[in-house]
């Protein structure tokens, strides 16, 4: 696949040089501690989507669709509106919709009662400005007027969320041509022309570059990642080549910004692709995270199953992420979030259970999902919150929390006094745990390969940093590192990708760098267990 954009079109930022070096055993390297932004980006994301605000969906906000609207997409709604009430009243209506999406009270509720760490915000290419809509369905002067303040509305919302300690994934939900044929791609064309038209790919590349430049220039605070597209069609032609080009382009702007890609309904293939990018021999590329969606109410196979059968299925999900043989050094890093999930089941499924058991089954279903996502993924984002339409309680984040059908990780609810006490306990245990873990490591390899000379000092170096990093994530809120935080702690969620970042910073080379990684993982594990995270 030929490059669909030119690197020269994007202004690069100066990047620090990273030279590999060999460390003498007498020198234990301690890298700088995680920053507040590191914690926002790499912690476990207990998240929610804000759907239907910047990319309309009729089922979420029916009042934005005049009676004359023929379809269910953003383009259908805005076209019908300016036909019915003219341009400037439509502009006012759209701006009011964006600016009232979350009140200050709503944000406080999300941050402090519901313990949301991160919000996934669907936007469209038409949100970014008129220059990104020329020769597209949103390219007329009418839309230039209506959407003139859309990007500023995004920045204002992100700023308000950040001040409450909530990070943001900017999700390009509606992309030029459509990543899929559904109406949530911005139009009702029914086509996924992003993948077959180089002009659409070029335009999307410019959109991603523009967002990355704004993030790098600190114009939008709290951005934990940029999602390139939403729900790419299965087998999207040339998708991985395009993603690879984009990682190079964003690297020229700011290689620290995580990029999120759709798994295109094939999680294994997407993870394998990201592992080829998330490697230590490509130190200036941004980390790439896979976004997968989990729903159990759409297919014939889903509908044929009873609620308990589906609940049992949930326990088998995300097998691709089980840590059977994780090795960033040898195999690359894999990171994944469940970008959309809900408590919805089809009426046919519910018909296979007694009505008297529905409330309990609904709770079991939601808790089973949220717990397995927390155990195996780097984050999860319920779809959706603060919608207007009567979409059903199982799609409503506030309602599902009220029914205790979403499991909130306990550490997010800890008062600062408990966070402090847990930190003290971990630090008291540190030297004992370190000595024990190093001893076990040395003894294992002495028994397994007595003829081999190892570099066990690397294990100790990795262990020390892993333990410290885990504690640093835990205490960042307590130390006022997270804006607006009033309680709670955090854990490393995207562990592979965090290890990759540390390995790139370390710049270590040699046949035994794997020992450093083993030590780092064990240091994180021991710290988290001593902090009380072992059973989360």
């Amino acid at each position: 696949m030929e490059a669909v954009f030119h690197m020269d079109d994007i202004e690069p930022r100066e990047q620090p040089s990273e030279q590999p070096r060999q460390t003498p055993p007498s020198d234990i390297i301690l890298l700088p501690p995680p920053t507040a932004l590191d914690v926002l980006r790499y912690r476990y994301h207990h998240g929610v989507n804000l759907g239907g605000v910047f990319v309309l969906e009729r089922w979420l906000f029916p009042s934005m669709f005049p009676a004359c609207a023929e379809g269910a997409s953003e383009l259908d709604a805005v076209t019908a509106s300016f036909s019915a009430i003219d341009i400037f009243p439509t502009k006012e209506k759209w701006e009011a919709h964006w600016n009232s999406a979350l009140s200050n009270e709503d944000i406080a509720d999300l941050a402090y009662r519901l313990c949301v760490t991160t919000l996934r915000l669907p936007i469209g290419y038409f949100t970014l400005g008129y220059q990104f809509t020329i020769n597209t369905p949103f390219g007329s002067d009418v839309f230039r007027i209506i959407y003139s303040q859309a990007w500023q509305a995004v920045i204002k919302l992100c700023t308000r969320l950040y001040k409450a300690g909530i990070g943001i994934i900017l999700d390009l939900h509606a992309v030029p041509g459509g990543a899929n044929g559904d109406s949530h791609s911005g139009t009702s064309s029914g086509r996924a022309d992003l993948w077959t038209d180089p002009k659409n790919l070029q335009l999307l590349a410019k959109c991603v570059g523009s967002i990355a430049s704004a993030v790098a220039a600190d114009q939008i605070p709290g951005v934990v990642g940029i999602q390139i597209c939403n729900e790419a069609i299965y087998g999207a032609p040339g998708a991985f080549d395009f993603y690879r080009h984009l990682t190079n382009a964003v690297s020229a702007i700011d290689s620290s910004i995580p990029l999120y890609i759709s798994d295109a309904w094939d999680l294994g293939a997407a993870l394998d692709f990201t592992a080829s990018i998330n490697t230590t021999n490509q130190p200036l590329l941004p980390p790439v995270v896979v976004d997968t969606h989990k729903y159990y109410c759409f297919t014939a196979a889903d509908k044929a199953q009873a609620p308990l059968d589906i609940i049992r299925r949930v326990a088998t999900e995300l097998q691709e992420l089980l840590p059977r043989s994780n090795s960033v050094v040898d195999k690359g890093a894999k990171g994944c979030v469940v970008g959309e999930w809900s408590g919805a089941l089809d009426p046919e499924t519910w018909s296979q259970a007694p009505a008297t058991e529905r409330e309990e089954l609904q709770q079991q279903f939601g808790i089973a999902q949220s717990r397995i996502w927390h155990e195996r993924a780097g984050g999860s984002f319920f779809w959706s919150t603060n919608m207007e339409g009567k979409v059903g309680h199982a799609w409503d984040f506030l309602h599902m929390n009220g029914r205790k059908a979403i499991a909130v990780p306990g550490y997010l609810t800890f008062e600062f006094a408990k966070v402090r006490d847990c930190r003290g306990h971990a630090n008291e245990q540190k030297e004992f745990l370190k000595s024990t873990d190093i001893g076990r490591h040395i003894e294992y390899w002495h028994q397994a390969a007595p003829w081999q000379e190892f570099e066990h000092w690397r294990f100790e170096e990795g262990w020390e940093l892993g333990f410290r990093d885990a504690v640093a994530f835990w205490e960042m809120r307590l130390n006022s590192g997270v804006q607006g935080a009033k309680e709670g702690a955090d854990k490393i969620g995207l562990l592979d990708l965090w290890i990759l970042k540390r390995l790139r910073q370390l710049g270590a080379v040699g046949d035994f760098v794997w020992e450093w990684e083993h030590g780092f993982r064990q240091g994180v594990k021991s710290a988290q267990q001593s902090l009380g995270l072992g059973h989360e």
Side-chain angles (χ1 to χ4, degrees), residues 82-100:
F82 76 70
S83 296
I85 63 174
D86 212 347
I87 297 173
F88 287 99
T90 296
K91 171 180 165 64
E92 292 177 5
K93 182 177 182 179
W94 257 239
E95 289 178 2
H97 178 63
W98 303 328
N99 294 326
S100 64

Side-chain angles (χ1 to χ4, degrees), residues 140-209:
S140 74
D141 285 343
V142 170
F143 298 126
R144 176 178 58 81
I145 294 170
I146 293 171
Y147 291 95
S148 62
Q149 296 302 309
W151 184 235
Q152 286 304 311
V154 169
I155 293 175
K156 289 177 184 177
L157 178 57
C158 292
T159 301
R160 292 169 59 222
L161 288 162
Y162 173 69
K163 288 180 178 178
I166 297 176
I168 304 96
I169 292 177
L170 291 173
D171 160 35
L172 276 160
H173 217 72
V175 297
N180 58 67
D182 295 324
S183 60
H184 56 64
S185 287
T187 75
S188 295
S189 72
R191 300 172 61 86
D193 287 338
L194 170 68
W195 309 110
T196 56
D197 188 337
K199 291 181 180 179
N200 287 331
L201 292 171
Q202 251 182 346
L203 181 54
L204 177 53
K206 290 181 179 179
C207 291
V208 173

